[in-house]
């Protein structure tokens, strides 16, 4: 159990007795956080409030017990109770620490003190978190530390000692510090190539908590529910500039007034009240516009939109200021069921996109069209359509539909395969229970793994605009594809499979911050070959292609083409989050290079082709890293051939994990290229074959 140190502005206060502690202010007498600075370091303030009587009574009771204990037995009992209280306080202060940086920054002179742990009173307070105050103060008091000045003149940062967090991974899962525009990132090593000109975009998890006006603060439990922020890093002539903005969507706006009453993956802390639960359940398909998973370019004019696994597109200005949700002019959209509460059209996937040389961005929604039977409906957006500019509507054309078996369950599909002639949807055995979604406010409670079921494979043909075949495969689940391509009548899908438990355990924000042990299994990268010429209902087995990895990237001019190399993230086995980068040869089925640095955590990789390259792996990989020993994030450029670092540029503060993004070159009309998006006018590249060289 770690020690908590309380510093004050007066160096000799530690000898004061508990009886000298001033009364705790009432809720209506709360202090406003002030700015302060100590030892040259800016620290964040923490404001916490509690009603006067409860805290004062507990402190005085503890003081009386200490002064009145007259036997070794009593002293031992009190010591044991105090130790238990301190241990409980230490465990719970981790939860309290979530709010530390959200509630402001301080700058004042505090002489002769080291402030590791300070409590400041919040005006019209944080009622649930206030339960922490008595046990925290009691623990500190039992260590004979004074809190005499805490409520009068001290400003500081509620900070655990370094051992409270096992490593720096927690910085990926704490709220972004501030919005910035065009801030130069210091190049601290190497040099970015002169030819590298463009912008790396990311959507991601930006705001992990909120403190509505005059109401309790709340924190978000699951990574997929965290409020969205967009970031971009613009590289020009060797210089890197950063933009970072919280997206002020309706969900964000609601969170400034009260806890938003929408279904989420795993709720908030504190949980919904009875009234909040009723409001959520009685609006079963109210759309949450917190679209925090990916960002893509929908038009050749360069307009950028955030997306998620729920319907909608959130547009941002070039400086990343939030604009609005995209207004769509719908062409040929099927009529949704008019039956009560069955008008479902909210579920889609975060990885819509186009393939190389295709001007159409394809996507899908689940629809209930003619009663209690689900349809999967394909749509497309023409990237070259007439465009009135930021904030104007775009046309979306609806194409074919296919019936999804069963009225009560639909598969959770985060992406689908998109090749020159086909779309292949993998309806996995990891499924939403629709009845459960109607019953719960937390979607995770309605997500079920059914290994006894087969995966469904629905094949859509672009030329006819129709679904042409339904096949099956053995049960597996995945977030992302590595790549997919056609080989005659066959569609080859290379897939990073994932244990279904990953989304629950490795996306839990508290577990991520404290680097919990794994509660899931590594799953391999697989190859599934679907022959579109086969008979209806054919069952296709998959084969193991390679090791467990995810967030893979390939050469952007082999998107939807046969290929040799992929680069992705993997686990060293030391952490809950990814901490390795690997280069994998899909032809030899070998990992041929690995990058790892202790307490450094990579984000999604983006491959940018080197001009004039004759080998497929001659690319520059761009990745946003968190550097533990740096205390901040940085952009790294790596050589795709051997994963050697080429350059680093540091952010002025840590950036939360940036989910999915894309690379937009100097010519915006060529799109923003990412995992499922490609150059709409691009042509497949031809490369020499490189002799196998293993650098692991």
């Amino acid at each position: 159990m770690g020690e908590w140190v309380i510093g004050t502005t007066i160096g000799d206060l530690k000898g004061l007795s508990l009886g000298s502690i001033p009364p705790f202010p009432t809720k209506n007498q709360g202090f406003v956080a002030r700015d302060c600075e100590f030892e040259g370091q800016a620290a964040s303030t923490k404001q916490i409030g509690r009603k006067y009587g409860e805290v004062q009574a507990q402190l005085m009771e503890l003081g009386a017990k200490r002064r009145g204990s007259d036997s070794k037995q009593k002293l031992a009992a009190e010591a044991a109770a105090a130790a238990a209280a301190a241990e409980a306080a230490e465990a719970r202060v981790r939860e309290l620490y979530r709010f530390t940086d959200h509630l402001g920054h301080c700058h004042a002179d505090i002489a002769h003190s080291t402030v590791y742990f300070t409590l400041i009173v919040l005006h019209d307070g944080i009622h649930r978190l206030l339960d922490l105050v008595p046990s925290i103060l009691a623990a500190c008091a039992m260590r004979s530390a004074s809190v005499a000045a805490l409520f009068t003149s001290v400003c500081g940062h509620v900070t655990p000692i370094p051992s409270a967090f096992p490593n720096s991974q927690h910085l990926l899962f704490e709220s972004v510090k501030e919005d910035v525009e065009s801030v130069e990132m210091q190049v601290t090593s190497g040099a970015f190539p002169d030819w590298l000109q463009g912008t790396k975009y990311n959507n991601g998890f930006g705001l992990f908590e909120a403190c509505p006006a005059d109401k309790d603060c709340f924190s978000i439990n699951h990574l997929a529910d965290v409020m969205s922020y967009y970031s971009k890093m613009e590289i020009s002539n060797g210089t890197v500039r950063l933009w970072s903005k919280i997206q002020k969507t309706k969900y964000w706006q609601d969170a400034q007034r009260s806890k938003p009453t929408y279904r989420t993956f795993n709720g908030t802390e504190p949980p919904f009240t009875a009234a909040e639960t009723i409001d959520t359940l009685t609006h079963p398909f109210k759309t949450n516009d917190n679209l925090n998973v990916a960002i893509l370019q929908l038009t050749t004019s360069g307009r950028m939109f955030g997306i998620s696994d729920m319907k909608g597109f959130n547009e941002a200005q070039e400086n990343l200021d939030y604009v609005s949700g995209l207004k769509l002019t719908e062409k040929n959209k099927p009529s949704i069921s008019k039956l009560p509460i069955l008008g479902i059209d909210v579920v889609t996937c975060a990885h819509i996109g186009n393939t190389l040389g295709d001007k159409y961005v394809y996507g899908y929604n689940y629809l209930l069209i003619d009663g209690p039977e689900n349809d999967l409906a394909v749509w497309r957006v023409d990237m070259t359509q007439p465009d009135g500019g930021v904030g104007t509507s775009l046309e979306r054309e609806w194409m074919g539909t296919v019936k999804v078996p069963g009225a009560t369950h639909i598969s959770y599909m985060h992406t689908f395969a998109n090749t020159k002639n086909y779309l292949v949807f993998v309806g996995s055995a990891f499924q939403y229970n629709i009845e459960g979604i109607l019953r719960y406010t937390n979607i995770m409670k309605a997500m079920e793994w059914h290994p006894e079921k087969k995966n469904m494979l629905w094949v859509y043909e672009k030329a006819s605009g129709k679904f042409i075949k339904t096949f099956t495969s053995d049960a597996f689940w995945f977030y992302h594809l590595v790549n997919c391509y056609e080989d005659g009548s066959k569609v080859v899908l290379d897939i990073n499979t994932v244990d279904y438990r990953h989304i629950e355990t490795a996306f839990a924000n508290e577990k991520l911050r404290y680097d919990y042990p794994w509660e899931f299994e590594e799953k391999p990268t697989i190859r599934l070959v679907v022959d579109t010429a086969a008979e209806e209902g054919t069952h296709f087995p998959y084969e193991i292609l390679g090791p467990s990895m995810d967030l893979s990237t390939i050469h952007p001019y082999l998107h939807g083409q046969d290929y040799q190399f992929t680069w992705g993230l993997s686990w060293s086995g030391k952490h809950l989050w990814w901490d390795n980068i690997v280069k994998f040869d899909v032809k030899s089925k070998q990992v041929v290079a690995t990058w790892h640095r202790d307490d450094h955590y990579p984000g999604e990789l983006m491959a940018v082709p080197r001009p004039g390259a004759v080998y497929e792996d001659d690319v520059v990989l761009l990745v946003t890293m968190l550097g533990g020993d740096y205390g901040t994030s940085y952009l790294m450029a790596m050589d795709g051939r051997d994963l050697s670092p080429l350059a680093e540029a540091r952010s002025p503060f840590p950036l939360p994990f940036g989910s999915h993004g894309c690379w937009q070159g100097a010519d915006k009309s060529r799109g923003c290229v990412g995992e499922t998006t490609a150059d709409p006018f691009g042509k497949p590249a031809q490369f020499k074959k490189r002799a196998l060289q293993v650098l692991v």
Side-chain angles (χ1 to χ4, degrees):
M1 184 171 61
E3 293 291 331
W4 298 97
V5 182
I6 297 181
T8 71
T9 55
I10 305 172
D12 58 356
L13 285 176
K14 291 187 177 180
L16 293 178
S17 68
L18 285 168
S20 68
I21 298 175
F24 204 98
T26 66
K27 178 181 176 182
N28 292 328
Q29 295 172 333
F31 293 106
V32 177
R34 294 167 297 123
D35 287 346
C36 64
E37 188 173 286
F38 60 94
E39 297 182 351
Q41 300 293 322
S44 301
T45 62
K46 169 50 81 189
Q47 298 181 310
I48 303 171
R50 179 76 172 175
K51 290 182 179 179
Y52 168 84
E54 294 173 69
V55 173
Q56 186 71 4
Q58 291 212 20
L59 289 173
M60 294 306 101
E61 181 183 0
L62 179 61
K65 286 181 178 179
R66 290 187 66 201
R67 291 190 295 273
S69 296
D70 56 3
S71 72
K72 290 183 179 180
Q73 185 176 6
K74 285 185 177 181
L75 287 172
E78 293 299 334
E87 191 163 343
E90 182 173 331
R92 297 185 68 196
V93 81
R94 295 180 175 183
E95 189 175 22
L96 174 67
Y97 183 69
R98 299 175 181 177
F99 293 81
T100 302
D101 293 325
H102 173 67
L103 294 172
H105 296 275
C106 57
H107 307 280
D109 184 25
I110 297 183
H112 311 300
S113 68
T114 302
V115 182
Y116 279 107
F117 178 55
T118 305
L119 302 174
I120 309 279
V121 181
L122 173 64
H123 180 60
D124 290 333
I126 308 170
H127 305 302
R128 190 196 64 81
L129 288 179
L130 309 181
D131 292 337
L132 295 167
V133 173
S135 57
I136 292 171
L137 293 182
C140 295
M142 284 304 294
R143 292 186 172 112
S144 300
S146 170
V147 291
L150 290 179
F151 310 124
T152 56
S153 62
V154 175
C155 190
H157 188 173
V158 181
T159 308
I161 62 170
S163 63
F165 288 115
N167 48 55
S168 301
Q169 183 176 284
H170 66 96
L171 295 173
L172 287 174
F173 309 108
E174 296 174 0
S175 292
V176 65
K177 306 303 179 187
E178 57 184 304
D179 286 356
V180 295
E181 285 190 26
S182 193
V183 172
E184 185 170 347
M185 297 173 63
Q186 182 183 4
V187 178
T188 54
S189 69
F192 290 87
D194 292 339
W195 58 263
L196 189 62
Q197 307 281 325
T199 303
K200 178 182 180 291
Y201 281 90
N202 277 97
N203 196 347
F205 311 114
L207 196 59
F208 287 74
E209 66 283 311
C211 289
D214 302 322
K215 289 186 172 64
D216 293 355
C217 293
F218 67 92
S219 62
I220 295 169
N221 293 332
H222 194 274
L223 197 60
D225 299 326
V226 173
M227 283 178 264
S228 168
Y229 88 113
Y230 298 168
S231 65
K232 72 175 188 178
M233 297 177 184
E234 183 181 272
I235 304 174
S236 179
N237 300 319
T239 298
V240 183
R241 293 190 173 275
L242 171 69
W243 284 255
S244 172
K245 297 283 183 74
I246 293 288
Q247 295 303 290
K248 298 181 179 179
T249 62
K250 184 180 185 301
Y251 186 92
W252 179 90
Q253 294 170 29
D254 288 349
Q256 309 314 299
R257 296 185 291 269
S258 61
K259 192 186 302 175
T261 51
Y262 298 88
R263 280 174 174 78
T264 58
F265 271 88
N266 206 26
T268 60
E269 192 63 35
F272 279 167
T273 63
E276 291 164 342
T277 298
I278 291 170
D279 185 59
T280 303
L281 294 178
T282 53
H283 297 85
F285 302 114
K286 183 169 66 171
T287 303
N288 177 347
D289 69 346
N290 178 37
L291 309 179
N292 60 6
V293 178
I295 189 168
L296 83 164
Q297 181 178 321
L298 268 182
T299 66
T300 51
S301 63
R303 293 170 64 182
M304 302 299 295
F305 298 88
I307 53 176
S308 186
D309 289 323
M310 299 296 159
K311 72 174 183 180
F313 301 84
N314 286 338
E315 187 167 14
Q317 299 274 11
E318 190 170 354
N319 70 351
L320 301 187
D321 283 345
Y322 175 72
V323 176
S324 65
L326 173 63
K327 300 176 181 65
L328 288 163
T329 301
E330 306 286 16
K331 180 180 178 181
N332 302 328
K333 183 175 181 180
S335 297
I336 300 174
S337 173
K338 301 301 183 184
L339 294 175
I341 75 171
L342 292 181
I344 299 176
D345 69 343
V346 300
V347 179
T348 179
C349 74
H351 292 289
I352 64 174
N354 67 317
T355 195
L356 189 66
D358 191 346
K359 67 176 183 176
Y360 288 109
V361 170
Y362 282 89
Y364 81 91
N365 283 61
Y366 281 117
L367 304 178
L368 278 178
I369 295 176
D370 51 6
E373 191 171 19
N374 303 296
D375 285 56
L376 190 156
V378 171
W379 50 259
R380 67 184 187 183
V381 174
D382 185 344
M383 295 180 69
T384 65
Q385 66 181 274
D387 177 15
V390 172
T392 62
S393 65
L394 295 173
E395 181 181 86
R396 174 166 63 176
E397 181 181 11
W398 291 78
M399 311 300 287
T401 63
V402 65
K403 294 294 181 187
V404 176
T408 61
H409 290 75
I410 54 177
S411 294
Y412 176 31
M413 293 189 294
H414 193 60
T415 189
F416 57 91
N418 185 351
T419 66
K420 181 179 179 181
N421 296 298
Y422 301 102
L423 308 177
V424 179
F425 297 87
V426 180
S428 79
F430 189 41
Q431 299 179 332
Y432 297 108
N433 180 324
I434 297 175
E435 183 273 332
I437 290 177
L438 295 174
R439 184 153 42 100
Y440 299 119
T441 61
N442 294 356
I443 295 171
M444 287 302 307
K445 293 181 179 180
M447 299 185 77
E448 302 171 352
W449 173 241
H450 290 280
E452 75 282 1
K453 295 183 178 181
K454 297 176 181 178
N455 280 7
M456 303 300 297
L457 307 174
W458 297 295
V459 179
Y460 172 88
E461 185 181 57
K462 292 181 179 180
S464 66
K466 297 179 180 180
F467 282 88
I468 59 169
K469 296 283 181 68
T470 298
F471 305 120
T472 62
S473 75
D474 295 333
F476 63 85
W477 184 63
F478 66 106
Y479 297 115
H480 308 117
L481 293 163
V482 179
N483 192 19
C484 53
Y485 60 91
E486 296 174 19
D487 181 10
S489 64
K490 298 175 182 178
V491 179
V492 180
L493 291 76
D494 291 345
I495 302 171
N496 297 138
T497 63
V498 180
D499 188 329
Y500 74 97
R501 293 169 294 185
H502 183 272
I503 195 171
E504 180 177 2
T505 61
F507 273 31
N509 292 330
E510 197 71 0
K511 293 180 179 181
L512 287 166
R513 292 189 184 112
Y514 291 96
D515 206 3
Y516 273 47
W518 285 11
E519 299 171 37
F520 56 92
E521 296 177 3
E522 283 188 292
K523 297 293 183 179
T525 300
I526 67 170
R527 172 163 287 179
L528 176 65
V529 180
V530 178
D531 190 346
T532 63
E535 292 184 2
E536 177 81 4
T538 298
H539 183 82
F540 294 108
Y542 61 79
E543 64 171 299
I544 304 298
L545 182 65
S548 177
M549 57 181 179
D550 212 334
L551 298 178
S552 300
T553 191
I554 60 169
H555 192 289
Y557 287 97
L558 292 177
H559 195 288
Q561 310 296 317
D562 193 5
Y563 70 113
Q564 181 176 1
F565 295 110
T566 182
W567 300 264
L569 306 187
S570 71
W571 291 282
S572 68
K574 299 177 181 178
H575 305 295
L576 186 56
W577 204 244
W578 297 290
D579 59 348
N580 278 350
I581 297 174
V582 296
K583 177 185 177 184
F584 181 69
D585 184 332
V586 300
K587 301 300 184 184
S588 68
K589 298 184 179 181
Q590 292 189 60
V591 173
V592 293
T594 302
W595 180 94
H596 175 84
R597 188 183 297 174
D598 284 346
D599 207 23
H600 284 235
Y601 306 93
E604 183 184 49
L605 302 166
M606 297 178 192
V608 184
R610 192 186 303 274
V614 296
Y615 292 104
E616 177 183 337
D617 60 351
D618 195 359
V619 299
V620 168
L621 299 174
L622 295 176
V623 54
T624 302
M625 293 270 193
L626 173 69
D629 53 342
Y630 297 172
T632 192
S633 300
Y634 62 102
L635 177 66
M636 178 184 279
M638 310 177 77
D639 191 324
R641 294 170 293 187
D642 59 7
L643 301 184
S644 59
L646 300 174
E648 294 181 8
R650 294 191 191 180
S651 166
F653 47 79
L655 297 169
F657 190 76
S659 195
H660 297 288
C662 55
W663 169 258
Q664 185 186 73
D667 181 359
K668 295 180 181 179
S669 71
R670 308 307 292 259
C672 195
V673 178
E675 180 184 322
T676 57
T677 53
D679 183 341
F681 308 113
K683 298 184 183 300
Q686 300 293 324
F687 295 108
K688 295 180 179 180
K689 293 298 180 183
R690 188 184 294 280
L692 179 64
Q693 183 180 11
V694 178
L695 302 173
V696 177

